[in-house]
Amino acid sequence: MKKILSALTLAVVFTLATANPAQAEEKMLGTVTKIDLAGASATATLKDTKSGTLVDLLVDDTVTLDKFKDKRIGVGDEIKAKYEKKDGKNHSTFFKKAGGC
């Protein structure tokens, strides 16, 4: 019985010691209201279709930045986005037109 209890305790301690705090990735569907290009990044403001709130997303992937620059994504487009909150900013992890692109 002691061996089982010791093994169980060791397993619980190991699990708690190695657990990484998960960052919640948030999803949204929204309409682009503003895009501010700034060198190697951009800030895109989306109006959430569910709540109507404005959400600023920091976009730094080159594919999406190229789409901003050549106007394949612009103001008025409906976007599916995922983002993580880091350092007080919403960092985009997924940013695509809802209908494709």
Side-chain angles (χ1 to χ4, degrees):
M1 184 68 174
K2 282 186 175 182
K3 287 183 180 181
I4 293 172
L5 186 57
S6 293
L8 183 60
T9 302
L10 183 60
V12 169
V13 169
F14 179 75
T15 302
L16 292 175
T18 59
N20 290 332
Q23 293 218 327
E25 184 175 66
E26 299 194 34
K27 300 176 185 179
M28 73 174 294
L29 178 67
T31 304
V32 177
T33 60
K34 183 169 74 167
I35 297 173
D36 291 324
L37 291 168
S41 67
T43 302
T45 304
L46 302 181
K47 184 175 182 179
D48 190 348
T49 56
K50 289 183 182 177
S51 65
T53 59
L54 296 177
V55 178
D56 290 331
L57 299 178
L58 180 65
V59 179
D60 56 7
D61 70 280
T62 56
V63 173
T64 304
L65 291 173
D66 287 343
K67 289 180 181 181
F68 290 162
K69 290 174 186 172
D70 63 16
K71 308 293 186 205
R72 286 183 282 163
I73 294 178
V75 174
D77 289 339
E78 189 173 50
I79 300 295
K80 287 182 184 178
K82 293 180 186 177
Y83 61 93
E84 293 178 347
K85 293 184 180 190
K86 294 180 191 174
D87 303 324
K89 295 182 181 181
N90 299 323
H91 292 263
S92 172
T93 58
F94 181 85
F95 198 98
K96 297 215 177 191
K97 279 189 177 181
C101 181

